Amino acid sequence: MLKSARIAVFVSGGGTNLQALLDAQRDGKIPHGEIALVISSQACAYALERAEKANVPAHTVPSSLIQHDFEAAIELLLEQYKIDVIVLAGFLSILSENFTKKWPRRILNIHPSLIPAFCGVGFYGLHVHEGVLARGAKVTGATVHFVNEIADDGPIILQKPVAVQPDDTPEILQKRVMQEAEWLILPRAVSLFCDNKLEVKGRTVRVLS
Ligand code: GAR
């Protein structure tokens, strides 16, 4: 019998990906995981209300703190709630190497493009979709990957493509990528992690059956 992994979800905004995780948990789709903590880098994030409605403890650690204090406050919460795995779900603050190296292969991130396209420094939120449209790409999508010390560089866990349509605006494309890709692959990847079904060799992740 697998122990249930205690999950912390880090957010900064609307929290639709957090909602997808909460819904998946409610529907029994993450049988070996428990969303035990939500941390927001913004006090006004709507994601905090989503956590409250789902009776999940939620705390704000403001991104205005200096990096050392920001990460120290986060670490204290992770310890307090005995967290096993961190999910970055629209978390728009940078975690330093000092932090990420303490959580090897235990931080997952959702990114709204097919990595290695449209990712890295400066590519976050709506900017990703603006970049896709500016380049005239016909296909985009979403990626869940493990986090290492370089932005959007860690081993890729799951990806799902999404078609770009001729009249897309960044907002329309963002919504389609969320609906058709992000909200599906993030809960799936978290569940696979909690089931111990992700085998990492170098940069390649194999999903065990
Ligand atoms: C999502 O599209 C997520 O993939 C993106 O921010 C949005 C947050 O929305 N994350 C990044 O760009 C990280 N590089 P949400 O708060 O509604 O989940």
Side-chain angles (χ1 to χ4, degrees), residues 114-175:
L114 294 176
I115 288 174
F118 307 105
C119 65
V121 178
F123 281 111
Y124 59 90
L126 210 54
H127 298 305
V128 177
H129 308 290
E130 287 165 356
V132 168
L133 294 177
R135 185 61 186 82
K138 305 293 187 205
V139 178
T140 182
T143 302
V144 182
H145 65 94
F146 283 113
V147 171
N148 64 12
E149 64 287 359
I150 304 167
D152 301 329
D153 180 73
I156 291 169
I157 301 169
L158 294 178
Q159 292 188 301
K160 192 166 188 293
V162 173
V164 178
Q165 302 295 347
D167 295 328
D168 276 348
T169 62
E171 291 79 7
I172 290 171
L173 184 57
Q174 179 181 52
K175 190 78 193 278

Short mmCIF file of all heavy atoms in Angstrom, two decimals, residues 114-175:
data_model
loop_
_atom_site.label_atom_id
_atom_site.label_comp_id
_atom_site.label_asym_id
_atom_site.label_seq_id
_atom_site.Cartn_x
_atom_site.Cartn_y
_atom_site.Cartn_z
N LEU A 114 4.69 23.99 -25.68
CA LEU A 114 5.40 22.72 -25.86
C LEU A 114 6.89 23.00 -25.69
O LEU A 114 7.58 23.40 -26.63
CB LEU A 114 5.09 22.13 -27.24
CG LEU A 114 3.65 21.68 -27.48
CD1 LEU A 114 3.46 21.21 -28.91
CD2 LEU A 114 3.24 20.57 -26.51
N ILE A 115 7.41 22.81 -24.48
CA ILE A 115 8.83 23.00 -24.22
C ILE A 115 9.63 22.08 -25.15
O ILE A 115 9.24 20.93 -25.33
CB ILE A 115 9.12 22.67 -22.73
CG1 ILE A 115 8.53 23.79 -21.84
CG2 ILE A 115 10.59 22.50 -22.45
CD1 ILE A 115 8.63 23.51 -20.34
N PRO A 116 10.70 22.51 -25.82
CA PRO A 116 11.49 23.71 -25.55
C PRO A 116 11.09 24.96 -26.35
O PRO A 116 11.90 25.89 -26.44
CB PRO A 116 12.90 23.27 -25.92
CG PRO A 116 12.69 22.32 -27.05
CD PRO A 116 11.41 21.61 -26.75
N ALA A 117 9.89 25.00 -26.92
CA ALA A 117 9.47 26.23 -27.60
C ALA A 117 8.81 27.18 -26.60
O ALA A 117 8.10 26.74 -25.70
CB ALA A 117 8.49 25.89 -28.72
N PHE A 118 9.03 28.46 -26.80
CA PHE A 118 8.33 29.50 -26.04
C PHE A 118 8.40 29.28 -24.52
O PHE A 118 7.39 29.22 -23.83
CB PHE A 118 6.87 29.61 -26.51
CG PHE A 118 6.76 29.79 -28.00
CD1 PHE A 118 6.38 28.75 -28.82
CD2 PHE A 118 7.10 31.01 -28.58
CE1 PHE A 118 6.33 28.91 -30.20
CE2 PHE A 118 7.05 31.19 -29.96
CZ PHE A 118 6.66 30.14 -30.77
N CYS A 119 9.62 29.12 -24.04
CA CYS A 119 9.82 28.92 -22.60
C CYS A 119 11.08 29.63 -22.15
O CYS A 119 11.78 30.23 -22.97
CB CYS A 119 9.89 27.42 -22.28
SG CYS A 119 11.32 26.61 -23.01
N GLY A 120 11.36 29.57 -20.88
CA GLY A 120 12.54 30.22 -20.32
C GLY A 120 12.22 31.63 -19.85
O GLY A 120 11.05 32.01 -19.74
N VAL A 121 13.27 32.39 -19.59
CA VAL A 121 13.11 33.72 -18.98
C VAL A 121 12.20 34.61 -19.85
O VAL A 121 12.38 34.69 -21.07
CB VAL A 121 14.49 34.39 -18.78
CG1 VAL A 121 14.34 35.79 -18.21
CG2 VAL A 121 15.35 33.53 -17.85
N GLY A 122 11.22 35.23 -19.23
CA GLY A 122 10.32 36.16 -19.94
C GLY A 122 9.08 35.48 -20.51
O GLY A 122 8.10 36.15 -20.84
N PHE A 123 9.10 34.16 -20.64
CA PHE A 123 7.93 33.44 -21.15
C PHE A 123 7.11 32.91 -19.99
O PHE A 123 7.41 31.84 -19.44
CB PHE A 123 8.36 32.29 -22.06
CG PHE A 123 8.74 32.73 -23.45
CD1 PHE A 123 10.05 32.66 -23.87
CD2 PHE A 123 7.78 33.21 -24.33
CE1 PHE A 123 10.41 33.07 -25.15
CE2 PHE A 123 8.13 33.62 -25.61
CZ PHE A 123 9.45 33.55 -26.02
N TYR A 124 6.09 33.66 -19.62
CA TYR A 124 5.17 33.19 -18.58
C TYR A 124 3.80 33.78 -18.87
O TYR A 124 3.68 34.84 -19.52
CB TYR A 124 5.66 33.59 -17.17
CG TYR A 124 5.80 35.06 -16.99
CD1 TYR A 124 4.73 35.83 -16.52
CD2 TYR A 124 6.99 35.71 -17.31
CE1 TYR A 124 4.84 37.21 -16.38
CE2 TYR A 124 7.11 37.09 -17.17
CZ TYR A 124 6.04 37.82 -16.70
OH TYR A 124 6.15 39.19 -16.57
N GLY A 125 2.77 33.10 -18.40
CA GLY A 125 1.40 33.59 -18.55
C GLY A 125 1.07 33.95 -20.00
O GLY A 125 1.42 33.22 -20.93
N LEU A 126 0.43 35.09 -20.16
CA LEU A 126 -0.03 35.53 -21.48
C LEU A 126 1.12 35.76 -22.47
O LEU A 126 0.95 35.62 -23.68
CB LEU A 126 -0.84 36.82 -21.30
CG LEU A 126 -1.97 37.10 -22.28
CD1 LEU A 126 -2.95 35.95 -22.36
CD2 LEU A 126 -2.69 38.38 -21.87
N HIS A 127 2.31 36.11 -21.94
CA HIS A 127 3.46 36.37 -22.83
C HIS A 127 3.80 35.16 -23.69
O HIS A 127 4.28 35.30 -24.82
CB HIS A 127 4.70 36.75 -22.01
CG HIS A 127 4.52 38.01 -21.23
ND1 HIS A 127 4.14 39.20 -21.79
CD2 HIS A 127 4.65 38.26 -19.91
CE1 HIS A 127 4.04 40.13 -20.86
NE2 HIS A 127 4.34 39.58 -19.70
N VAL A 128 3.54 33.97 -23.16
CA VAL A 128 3.83 32.76 -23.93
C VAL A 128 2.96 32.73 -25.19
O VAL A 128 3.45 32.50 -26.30
CB VAL A 128 3.55 31.49 -23.07
CG1 VAL A 128 3.79 30.23 -23.87
CG2 VAL A 128 4.39 31.52 -21.80
N HIS A 129 1.69 33.01 -25.02
CA HIS A 129 0.75 32.93 -26.14
C HIS A 129 0.98 34.09 -27.11
O HIS A 129 0.82 33.92 -28.33
CB HIS A 129 -0.68 32.89 -25.59
CG HIS A 129 -0.85 31.81 -24.55
ND1 HIS A 129 -0.82 30.48 -24.87
CD2 HIS A 129 -0.96 31.88 -23.21
CE1 HIS A 129 -0.94 29.78 -23.77
NE2 HIS A 129 -1.02 30.60 -22.73
N GLU A 130 1.37 35.25 -26.59
CA GLU A 130 1.75 36.36 -27.47
C GLU A 130 2.93 35.94 -28.36
O GLU A 130 2.94 36.22 -29.56
CB GLU A 130 2.16 37.59 -26.63
CG GLU A 130 0.97 38.27 -25.96
CD GLU A 130 1.36 39.25 -24.84
OE1 GLU A 130 2.58 39.35 -24.50
OE2 GLU A 130 0.45 39.88 -24.29
N GLY A 131 3.88 35.24 -27.75
CA GLY A 131 5.06 34.77 -28.50
C GLY A 131 4.68 33.78 -29.59
O GLY A 131 5.20 33.84 -30.71
N VAL A 132 3.78 32.88 -29.26
CA VAL A 132 3.33 31.86 -30.22
C VAL A 132 2.68 32.54 -31.43
O VAL A 132 2.99 32.23 -32.59
CB VAL A 132 2.34 30.89 -29.54
CG1 VAL A 132 1.62 30.00 -30.56
CG2 VAL A 132 3.07 30.03 -28.50
N LEU A 133 1.79 33.51 -31.16
CA LEU A 133 1.07 34.19 -32.25
C LEU A 133 2.04 35.06 -33.07
O LEU A 133 1.96 35.10 -34.30
CB LEU A 133 -0.08 35.02 -31.69
CG LEU A 133 -1.23 34.20 -31.05
CD1 LEU A 133 -2.29 35.12 -30.46
CD2 LEU A 133 -1.85 33.24 -32.06
N ALA A 134 2.95 35.73 -32.38
CA ALA A 134 3.90 36.60 -33.09
C ALA A 134 4.78 35.79 -34.04
O ALA A 134 5.17 36.26 -35.10
CB ALA A 134 4.77 37.35 -32.07
N ARG A 135 5.07 34.54 -33.67
CA ARG A 135 5.93 33.69 -34.50
C ARG A 135 5.15 32.96 -35.59
O ARG A 135 5.71 32.33 -36.47
CB ARG A 135 6.64 32.66 -33.57
CG ARG A 135 7.66 31.76 -34.24
CD ARG A 135 8.80 32.58 -34.85
NE ARG A 135 9.72 31.75 -35.61
CZ ARG A 135 9.51 31.36 -36.87
NH1 ARG A 135 8.42 31.75 -37.51
NH2 ARG A 135 10.41 30.61 -37.49
N GLY A 136 3.83 33.04 -35.49
CA GLY A 136 3.00 32.36 -36.50
C GLY A 136 2.98 30.85 -36.36
O GLY A 136 2.73 30.14 -37.34
N ALA A 137 3.23 30.36 -35.15
CA ALA A 137 3.22 28.90 -34.94
C ALA A 137 1.80 28.36 -35.16
O ALA A 137 0.82 29.04 -34.86
CB ALA A 137 3.70 28.56 -33.54
N LYS A 138 1.71 27.15 -35.71
CA LYS A 138 0.41 26.53 -35.98
C LYS A 138 -0.03 25.60 -34.85
O LYS A 138 -1.20 25.24 -34.75
CB LYS A 138 0.46 25.71 -37.28
CG LYS A 138 0.94 26.49 -38.48
CD LYS A 138 -0.07 27.56 -38.87
CE LYS A 138 0.33 28.23 -40.19
NZ LYS A 138 -0.22 29.58 -40.29
N VAL A 139 0.94 25.18 -34.06
CA VAL A 139 0.65 24.26 -32.95
C VAL A 139 1.35 24.77 -31.70
O VAL A 139 2.50 25.20 -31.77
CB VAL A 139 1.16 22.82 -33.26
CG1 VAL A 139 0.90 21.90 -32.09
CG2 VAL A 139 0.50 22.27 -34.51
N THR A 140 0.63 24.72 -30.60
CA THR A 140 1.27 25.01 -29.31
C THR A 140 0.80 23.91 -28.35
O THR A 140 0.52 22.80 -28.79
CB THR A 140 0.95 26.45 -28.83
OG1 THR A 140 1.64 26.66 -27.60
CG2 THR A 140 -0.53 26.70 -28.67
N GLY A 141 0.69 24.21 -27.06
CA GLY A 141 0.24 23.16 -26.14
C GLY A 141 0.69 23.45 -24.73
O GLY A 141 0.89 24.61 -24.36
N ALA A 142 0.85 22.40 -23.95
CA ALA A 142 1.29 22.56 -22.57
C ALA A 142 2.23 21.43 -22.19
O ALA A 142 2.20 20.35 -22.81
CB ALA A 142 0.08 22.59 -21.62
N THR A 143 3.04 21.70 -21.18
CA THR A 143 4.05 20.75 -20.72
C THR A 143 4.05 20.70 -19.19
O THR A 143 4.00 21.75 -18.55
CB THR A 143 5.47 21.21 -21.17
OG1 THR A 143 5.50 21.34 -22.59
CG2 THR A 143 6.56 20.24 -20.70
N VAL A 144 4.12 19.50 -18.64
CA VAL A 144 4.44 19.36 -17.21
C VAL A 144 5.84 18.78 -17.12
O VAL A 144 6.15 17.79 -17.81
CB VAL A 144 3.45 18.43 -16.48
CG1 VAL A 144 3.80 18.37 -14.98
CG2 VAL A 144 2.02 18.91 -16.65
N HIS A 145 6.69 19.40 -16.32
CA HIS A 145 8.07 18.94 -16.22
C HIS A 145 8.56 19.04 -14.78
O HIS A 145 7.98 19.78 -13.97
CB HIS A 145 8.97 19.75 -17.16
CG HIS A 145 9.07 21.21 -16.78
ND1 HIS A 145 10.08 21.71 -15.99
CD2 HIS A 145 8.25 22.26 -17.05
CE1 HIS A 145 9.89 23.01 -15.82
NE2 HIS A 145 8.79 23.37 -16.44
N PHE A 146 9.61 18.29 -14.50
CA PHE A 146 10.28 18.46 -13.20
C PHE A 146 11.08 19.76 -13.25
O PHE A 146 11.59 20.16 -14.31
CB PHE A 146 11.23 17.30 -12.93
CG PHE A 146 10.53 16.04 -12.50
CD1 PHE A 146 10.53 14.92 -13.33
CD2 PHE A 146 9.89 15.96 -11.27
CE1 PHE A 146 9.89 13.74 -12.93
CE2 PHE A 146 9.25 14.80 -10.87
CZ PHE A 146 9.25 13.69 -11.70
N VAL A 147 11.20 20.39 -12.10
CA VAL A 147 11.92 21.67 -12.01
C VAL A 147 13.36 21.41 -11.59
O VAL A 147 13.61 20.67 -10.63
CB VAL A 147 11.21 22.59 -10.99
CG1 VAL A 147 12.04 23.84 -10.70
CG2 VAL A 147 9.83 22.98 -11.52
N ASN A 148 14.29 22.01 -12.35
CA ASN A 148 15.69 22.02 -11.90
C ASN A 148 16.12 23.47 -11.72
O ASN A 148 15.27 24.35 -11.61
CB ASN A 148 16.57 21.23 -12.89
CG ASN A 148 16.60 21.87 -14.27
OD1 ASN A 148 16.16 23.00 -14.44
ND2 ASN A 148 17.13 21.15 -15.24
N GLU A 149 17.41 23.72 -11.74
CA GLU A 149 17.89 25.06 -11.41
C GLU A 149 17.75 26.05 -12.57
O GLU A 149 17.95 27.25 -12.39
CB GLU A 149 19.33 25.00 -10.88
CG GLU A 149 20.39 24.52 -11.85
CD GLU A 149 20.35 23.02 -12.14
OE1 GLU A 149 19.50 22.30 -11.58
OE2 GLU A 149 21.16 22.58 -12.97
N ILE A 150 17.39 25.56 -13.75
CA ILE A 150 17.24 26.45 -14.92
C ILE A 150 15.75 26.53 -15.30
O ILE A 150 15.07 25.49 -15.33
CB ILE A 150 18.06 25.91 -16.13
CG1 ILE A 150 19.53 25.75 -15.74
CG2 ILE A 150 17.91 26.82 -17.34
CD1 ILE A 150 20.35 24.95 -16.73
N ALA A 151 15.28 27.74 -15.61
CA ALA A 151 13.84 27.93 -15.88
C ALA A 151 13.37 27.04 -17.04
O ALA A 151 13.96 27.06 -18.13
CB ALA A 151 13.57 29.40 -16.21
N ASP A 152 12.33 26.25 -16.79
CA ASP A 152 11.65 25.41 -17.80
C ASP A 152 12.58 24.39 -18.47
O ASP A 152 12.36 24.02 -19.63
CB ASP A 152 10.99 26.29 -18.88
CG ASP A 152 9.96 27.25 -18.29
OD1 ASP A 152 9.33 26.89 -17.28
OD2 ASP A 152 9.79 28.34 -18.85
N ASP A 153 13.59 23.93 -17.75
CA ASP A 153 14.62 23.08 -18.36
C ASP A 153 14.57 21.62 -17.89
O ASP A 153 15.15 20.74 -18.52
CB ASP A 153 16.01 23.67 -18.01
CG ASP A 153 17.14 22.88 -18.59
OD1 ASP A 153 17.32 22.97 -19.82
OD2 ASP A 153 17.83 22.16 -17.83
N GLY A 154 13.87 21.34 -16.81
CA GLY A 154 13.92 20.00 -16.20
C GLY A 154 13.23 18.94 -17.06
O GLY A 154 12.53 19.26 -18.03
N PRO A 155 13.43 17.67 -16.72
CA PRO A 155 12.88 16.56 -17.49
C PRO A 155 11.37 16.68 -17.72
O PRO A 155 10.61 16.94 -16.80
CB PRO A 155 13.21 15.32 -16.63
CG PRO A 155 14.36 15.74 -15.80
CD PRO A 155 14.21 17.20 -15.55
N ILE A 156 10.97 16.44 -18.98
CA ILE A 156 9.56 16.58 -19.39
C ILE A 156 8.78 15.33 -18.99
O ILE A 156 9.18 14.20 -19.31
CB ILE A 156 9.49 16.83 -20.91
CG1 ILE A 156 10.06 18.21 -21.23
CG2 ILE A 156 8.05 16.69 -21.42
CD1 ILE A 156 10.28 18.46 -22.72
N ILE A 157 7.66 15.54 -18.32
CA ILE A 157 6.82 14.43 -17.85
C ILE A 157 5.70 14.14 -18.85
O ILE A 157 5.56 13.04 -19.36
CB ILE A 157 6.25 14.74 -16.45
CG1 ILE A 157 7.38 14.98 -15.45
CG2 ILE A 157 5.34 13.60 -15.98
CD1 ILE A 157 6.93 15.56 -14.11
N LEU A 158 4.87 15.13 -19.13
CA LEU A 158 3.76 14.98 -20.07
C LEU A 158 3.65 16.24 -20.93
O LEU A 158 3.95 17.34 -20.45
CB LEU A 158 2.42 14.79 -19.34
CG LEU A 158 2.19 13.52 -18.51
CD1 LEU A 158 0.81 13.58 -17.84
CD2 LEU A 158 2.32 12.25 -19.35
N GLN A 159 3.19 16.05 -22.17
CA GLN A 159 2.90 17.19 -23.05
C GLN A 159 1.62 16.91 -23.82
O GLN A 159 1.29 15.75 -24.07
CB GLN A 159 4.03 17.41 -24.07
CG GLN A 159 5.31 17.89 -23.43
CD GLN A 159 6.37 18.28 -24.43
OE1 GLN A 159 6.77 17.46 -25.24
NE2 GLN A 159 6.84 19.52 -24.36
N LYS A 160 0.92 18.00 -24.21
CA LYS A 160 -0.26 17.83 -25.04
C LYS A 160 -0.32 18.99 -26.03
O LYS A 160 -0.26 20.15 -25.63
CB LYS A 160 -1.52 17.79 -24.18
CG LYS A 160 -2.75 17.32 -24.93
CD LYS A 160 -3.89 16.97 -23.98
CE LYS A 160 -5.03 16.32 -24.72
NZ LYS A 160 -5.71 17.22 -25.64
N PRO A 161 -0.43 18.67 -27.34
CA PRO A 161 -0.50 19.75 -28.33
C PRO A 161 -1.89 20.35 -28.46
O PRO A 161 -2.89 19.68 -28.18
CB PRO A 161 -0.12 19.03 -29.63
CG PRO A 161 -0.49 17.60 -29.41
CD PRO A 161 -0.40 17.33 -27.94
N VAL A 162 -1.93 21.60 -28.89
CA VAL A 162 -3.20 22.32 -29.11
C VAL A 162 -3.03 23.13 -30.40
O VAL A 162 -2.00 23.79 -30.59
CB VAL A 162 -3.50 23.27 -27.92
CG1 VAL A 162 -4.72 24.15 -28.21
CG2 VAL A 162 -3.71 22.48 -26.63
N ALA A 163 -4.04 23.09 -31.28
CA ALA A 163 -3.95 23.82 -32.55
C ALA A 163 -4.14 25.33 -32.33
O ALA A 163 -4.97 25.74 -31.51
CB ALA A 163 -5.02 23.31 -33.51
N VAL A 164 -3.36 26.12 -33.07
CA VAL A 164 -3.56 27.57 -33.08
C VAL A 164 -4.54 27.86 -34.22
O VAL A 164 -4.41 27.33 -35.31
CB VAL A 164 -2.22 28.30 -33.35
CG1 VAL A 164 -2.43 29.81 -33.41
CG2 VAL A 164 -1.19 27.94 -32.28
N GLN A 165 -5.55 28.70 -33.96
CA GLN A 165 -6.55 29.04 -34.98
C GLN A 165 -6.25 30.42 -35.57
O GLN A 165 -5.67 31.27 -34.89
CB GLN A 165 -7.97 29.03 -34.37
CG GLN A 165 -8.37 27.70 -33.74
CD GLN A 165 -8.48 26.55 -34.74
OE1 GLN A 165 -8.49 26.76 -35.96
NE2 GLN A 165 -8.54 25.33 -34.23
N PRO A 166 -6.64 30.65 -36.83
CA PRO A 166 -6.26 31.90 -37.53
C PRO A 166 -6.66 33.18 -36.79
O PRO A 166 -5.92 34.15 -36.82
CB PRO A 166 -7.02 31.80 -38.86
CG PRO A 166 -7.30 30.35 -39.05
CD PRO A 166 -7.39 29.72 -37.69
N ASP A 167 -7.79 33.19 -36.12
CA ASP A 167 -8.23 34.45 -35.49
C ASP A 167 -7.92 34.52 -33.99
O ASP A 167 -8.49 35.36 -33.27
CB ASP A 167 -9.74 34.65 -35.71
CG ASP A 167 -10.05 34.83 -37.18
OD1 ASP A 167 -9.19 35.41 -37.89
OD2 ASP A 167 -11.12 34.38 -37.64
N ASP A 168 -7.04 33.68 -33.52
CA ASP A 168 -6.74 33.66 -32.08
C ASP A 168 -6.15 34.99 -31.60
O ASP A 168 -5.33 35.60 -32.28
CB ASP A 168 -5.72 32.55 -31.76
CG ASP A 168 -6.40 31.20 -31.56
OD1 ASP A 168 -7.63 31.16 -31.45
OD2 ASP A 168 -5.66 30.19 -31.55
N THR A 169 -6.58 35.40 -30.42
CA THR A 169 -5.88 36.45 -29.68
C THR A 169 -5.10 35.71 -28.58
O THR A 169 -5.40 34.53 -28.30
CB THR A 169 -6.88 37.41 -29.00
OG1 THR A 169 -7.66 36.64 -28.06
CG2 THR A 169 -7.80 38.06 -30.01
N PRO A 170 -4.16 36.37 -27.91
CA PRO A 170 -3.44 35.68 -26.82
C PRO A 170 -4.42 35.14 -25.76
O PRO A 170 -4.24 34.03 -25.26
CB PRO A 170 -2.54 36.77 -26.24
CG PRO A 170 -2.31 37.71 -27.39
CD PRO A 170 -3.58 37.71 -28.19
N GLU A 171 -5.47 35.91 -25.48
CA GLU A 171 -6.43 35.49 -24.44
C GLU A 171 -7.21 34.25 -24.87
O GLU A 171 -7.41 33.33 -24.07
CB GLU A 171 -7.40 36.64 -24.13
CG GLU A 171 -6.79 37.83 -23.42
CD GLU A 171 -6.02 38.78 -24.34
OE1 GLU A 171 -6.06 38.60 -25.58
OE2 GLU A 171 -5.37 39.70 -23.79
N ILE A 172 -7.65 34.24 -26.14
CA ILE A 172 -8.42 33.09 -26.63
C ILE A 172 -7.52 31.84 -26.65
O ILE A 172 -7.93 30.76 -26.23
CB ILE A 172 -8.98 33.38 -28.04
CG1 ILE A 172 -10.10 34.43 -27.95
CG2 ILE A 172 -9.51 32.11 -28.71
CD1 ILE A 172 -10.58 34.95 -29.31
N LEU A 173 -6.30 32.03 -27.11
CA LEU A 173 -5.38 30.89 -27.18
C LEU A 173 -5.04 30.38 -25.78
O LEU A 173 -5.00 29.16 -25.53
CB LEU A 173 -4.11 31.31 -27.92
CG LEU A 173 -3.08 30.21 -28.17
CD1 LEU A 173 -3.68 29.04 -28.94
CD2 LEU A 173 -1.87 30.78 -28.94
N GLN A 174 -4.84 31.30 -24.85
CA GLN A 174 -4.54 30.90 -23.47
C GLN A 174 -5.65 30.01 -22.91
O GLN A 174 -5.40 28.97 -22.31
CB GLN A 174 -4.39 32.14 -22.59
CG GLN A 174 -4.12 31.81 -21.13
CD GLN A 174 -4.00 33.06 -20.27
OE1 GLN A 174 -4.88 33.92 -20.28
NE2 GLN A 174 -2.92 33.16 -19.53
N LYS A 175 -6.90 30.44 -23.15
CA LYS A 175 -8.05 29.69 -22.65
C LYS A 175 -8.10 28.28 -23.26
O LYS A 175 -8.34 27.29 -22.57
CB LYS A 175 -9.33 30.48 -22.97
CG LYS A 175 -10.60 29.97 -22.32
CD LYS A 175 -10.68 30.39 -20.87
CE LYS A 175 -11.75 29.65 -20.09
NZ LYS A 175 -13.08 30.18 -20.24
#
